[in-house]
Amino acid sequence: MNIGYCFTGSFCTFEKSIDALEKLVKAGHNVTPIMSENAYSIDTRFGDAVDIQNKLIQITGNSIIHTIEQAEPIGPNKMFDVLAIVPCTGNTLAKLANGVTDTSVTMATKSHLRNNRPVVIGVSTNDALGAAAKNIGTLLNYKNYYFVPFGMDNCLMKPKSMVCDFEQVKEAIEMANNGKEILKKIY
């Protein structure tokens, strides 16, 4: 399978997401990393941007799509069987739910969806049970969107926060390629 694997700015989950991406590569899938402009360029306490870029290129053997111009041909060229956004922030959820195309990841999604192909969302947002809830609900009802199982990650310290189960990313992507939603419990 050819997979476009997108990263948005939930920097604290990058390590788990990279582990999930690596499992896809080890299973024989061709994975192309796609990063939002912020995910691609911002150094954080979780790592320097260039180190993360190099790791993704090393694991996948593919260059990173990180601009709107690079993402636009995804649909016309039918580059991917499945597009995954793992992690998907509340900001990106809002943009997808409302048709906003102003980053490499939202352009990749719009372009990919023109072919009625699946998009897998791995939620990672501190406001999933707040402002982002309506956008999650909207996308759950849109055709061709599939979700990695997700749940609360710290109900005491972050009562509105939810994150996907990164251990189920590979299976969620493989099932979405067959038009099926993964239905496993996360916790």
Side-chain angles (χ1 to χ4, degrees), residues 83 85 96 104-113 119 145:
L83 186 79
I85 308 169
L96 295 173
S104 51
V105 171
T106 55
M107 175 56 81
T109 306
K110 174 186 173 185
S111 188
H112 177 77
L113 283 169
V119 173
Y145 279 94

Side-chain angles (χ1 to χ4, degrees), residues 91-118:
N91 187 48
T92 300
L93 289 165
K95 290 177 180 191
L96 295 173
N98 291 288
V100 177
T101 308
D102 65 352
T103 70
S104 51
V105 171
T106 55
M107 175 56 81
T109 306
K110 174 186 173 185
S111 188
H112 177 77
L113 283 169
R114 72 186 274 171
N115 298 313
N116 287 314
R117 292 185 177 179

Side-chain angles (χ1 to χ4, degrees), residues 33-152:
I34 302 166
M35 298 181 83
S36 70
E37 289 79 350
N38 287 337
Y40 184 80
S41 64
I42 295 176
D43 295 331
T44 72
R45 64 187 169 108
F46 301 104
D48 290 341
V50 71
D51 293 336
I52 295 165
Q53 294 166 21
N54 289 335
K55 190 169 192 173
L56 291 174
I57 293 166
Q58 177 190 11
I59 292 168
T60 65
N62 291 314
S63 59
I64 300 168
I65 294 171
H66 61 93
T67 67
I68 290 173
E69 294 82 5
Q70 292 169 328
E72 190 278 329
I74 287 171
N77 294 336
K78 298 183 179 178
M79 291 173 61
F80 306 121
D81 301 304
V82 177
L83 186 79
I85 308 169
V86 184
C88 186
T89 62
N91 187 48
T92 300
L93 289 165
K95 290 177 180 191
L96 295 173
N98 291 288
V100 177
T101 308
D102 65 352
T103 70
S104 51
V105 171
T106 55
M107 175 56 81
T109 306
K110 174 186 173 185
S111 188
H112 177 77
L113 283 169
R114 72 186 274 171
N115 298 313
N116 287 314
R117 292 185 177 179
V119 173
V120 175
I121 303 286
V123 170
S124 181
T125 179
N126 287 326
D127 69 345
L129 295 174
K134 64 184 172 203
N135 299 316
I136 292 169
T138 296
L139 292 172
L140 282 167
N141 284 292
Y142 281 175
K143 184 180 178 183
N144 296 317
Y145 279 94
Y146 299 83
F147 280 74
V148 178
F150 59 98
M152 296 181 82

